[in-house]
Amino acid sequence: MTLDHTHDPAARSWLASANAPGCDFPIQNLPFAVLRRRGSGEAFRGAVAIGDQALDLAALAGTGLAQGAAADALALAAQPALNAFMAAGPEAWRTLRHALFALLLGGAADESAVRACLLPLDAVEYTLPARVGDYTDFYTSIDHARNAIRIIMPNAEVTPNFRWLPQAYHGRASTLGVSGQQFHRPHGQVRPPGASAPVFQPCAALDYECELGLWIGPGNPAGQPIPMGQAEDQLFGITLLNDWSARDIQMWEMAPLGPFHAKNFATTVSPWIVTAEALAPFRVAWTRAEGEPQPLAYLDSAANRAQGAIDIRLEVWLETDQARQQGRGPARLSATSFRHQYWTAAQMITHHAAGGCSLQPGDLLGSGTISGPGPGEAGALLELAHGGQKPVDVGGGEQRGFLQDGDTVILHGWCERKGAMRIGFGECRGLVLPAVQA
Ligand code: CA
């Protein structure tokens, strides 16, 4: 992860909104999404965010301003899904980043031609940034794992395998949605406390999970592992991800296999993929506390120890129906960082492929719920409200043990540190609708 002129915190765009303090999309970020003018029925195409605008990459390709390898990469990124661009690999990603940076930099010669390719962010609609062939959800926060198990057994420890492998289950790609997703409260089997038989009913313990989505680049043929030294080349970029979870259904159905109805009704991602390249200034050392086992050799590398973790700040906000009606705005439920995760992105990717599994361009890996060590750092309501037993204050005299119909959950993410430009992820928003009548 080397830094270059595109990470220079002094760089400024000719677009004033990109230089505003606190802007998620300065010229150092340049995240990718797939969008069109809202309500237009136009073809979706790739775009890059800059300030309060989206640079329409299909329009930009039509100007002929990009040349050679940059033009080739631009043609891939302009498509209605980013899979081909993801497949092209780090050299193509970097070439296009550098070309876009040059076109958007203050003083660039072709400003007026590029300006003609901008669309206001408040006038676009998004679709998923790639066709997701497979979605896998990891479980890699030891604080989340510990908090969750202790709701059931107060002094329990996480299972021994947690400390040796990045645990995961294979999820469902068909019900993935982009920010703004609305979904009906799921149905499923639930066994009421003390009952001998389950009932089929709407979920009564609906939850969110604050995660990050890791988007896979070129991938690997079946049977060929991805060594730790090559894992970072497989990481195209990262979005916010909400793994909506039905806790009462999960509790009954999960033994001894993985979650099924509890997790397959909706998963929401933010539209903008912040590239691994843009995240380079926010890499931090990955360490294991004293007394924790060191990883097996295939999950270990000097580079991973030096800079395998990423300091991505995360917040969860909840806006109830009442808050919306009263114009009160959302309430913040928690805040933490991805840097606390027990396993890194590289370790998740390497472990995923290590058994013989093929990863494909556009595959999506959920990081698992991201909870930090301190109070107020839990990434799920299950933990914050102790399994619904201690409902949390959500403003206006309202409380939540679990989510109610009409609740909107909003995830925010950003990176900042001294000596680097702050970059953001935008938001990941989803709304709970009432259960469909049986
Ligand atoms: Ca999860």
Side-chain angles (χ1 to χ4, degrees), residues 11-250:
R12 294 289 180 273
S13 173
W14 45 255
L15 185 69
S17 63
N19 308 323
C23 172
D24 273 354
F25 308 126
I27 193 169
Q28 292 84 354
N29 194 349
L30 305 179
F32 289 84
V34 172
L35 52 71
R36 64 183 176 191
R37 285 184 178 85
R38 189 183 303 134
S40 68
E42 295 169 350
F44 282 101
R45 63 271 193 183
V48 159
I50 180 77
D52 60 2
Q53 305 285 313
L55 177 57
D56 179 338
L57 297 182
L60 184 67
T63 65
L65 287 173
Q67 305 287 322
D72 295 343
L74 177 60
L76 299 177
Q79 292 181 11
L82 295 175
N83 298 73
F85 182 52
M86 291 166 166
E91 196 54 49
W93 306 338
R94 190 170 303 117
T95 299
L96 184 56
R97 174 181 171 84
H98 285 196
L100 296 174
F101 183 90
L103 289 169
L104 292 165
L105 191 63
D110 299 305
E111 176 186 328
S112 61
V114 177
R115 197 179 275 276
C117 303
L118 297 178
L119 301 169
L121 287 180
D122 59 13
V124 301
E125 61 186 7
Y126 302 96
T127 187
L128 284 174
R131 293 180 306 275
V132 181
D134 276 301
Y135 160 52
T136 302
D137 196 25
F138 279 87
Y139 183 69
T140 62
S141 161
I142 197 162
D143 295 297
H144 168 67
R146 204 181 268 134
N147 293 344
I149 196 167
R150 288 184 181 171
I151 287 164
I152 305 165
M153 291 172 284
N155 295 311
E157 242 316 329
V158 301
T159 53
N161 55 356
F162 185 94
R163 289 183 159 85
W164 291 99
L165 56 88
Q167 290 184 274
Y169 65 92
H170 288 118
R172 185 76 192 163
S174 64
T175 31
L176 282 169
V178 75
S179 183
Q181 186 174 23
Q182 304 184 0
F183 63 92
H184 295 281
R185 179 177 293 273
H187 279 77
Q189 280 198 23
V190 174
R191 192 173 68 174
S196 58
V199 292
F200 183 76
Q201 63 180 34
C203 167
L206 187 62
D207 201 358
Y208 59 83
E209 291 188 340
C210 175
E211 305 194 15
L212 290 170
L214 315 177
W215 293 84
I216 296 298
N220 63 307
Q224 269 191 29
I226 300 170
M228 282 292 286
Q230 294 165 23
E232 296 284 0
D233 291 344
Q234 295 289 342
L235 180 62
F236 171 70
I238 297 181
T239 52
L240 306 168
L241 184 150
N242 185 344
D243 174 28
W244 303 95
S245 298
R247 301 300 183 196
D248 45 357
I249 298 169
Q250 185 178 2

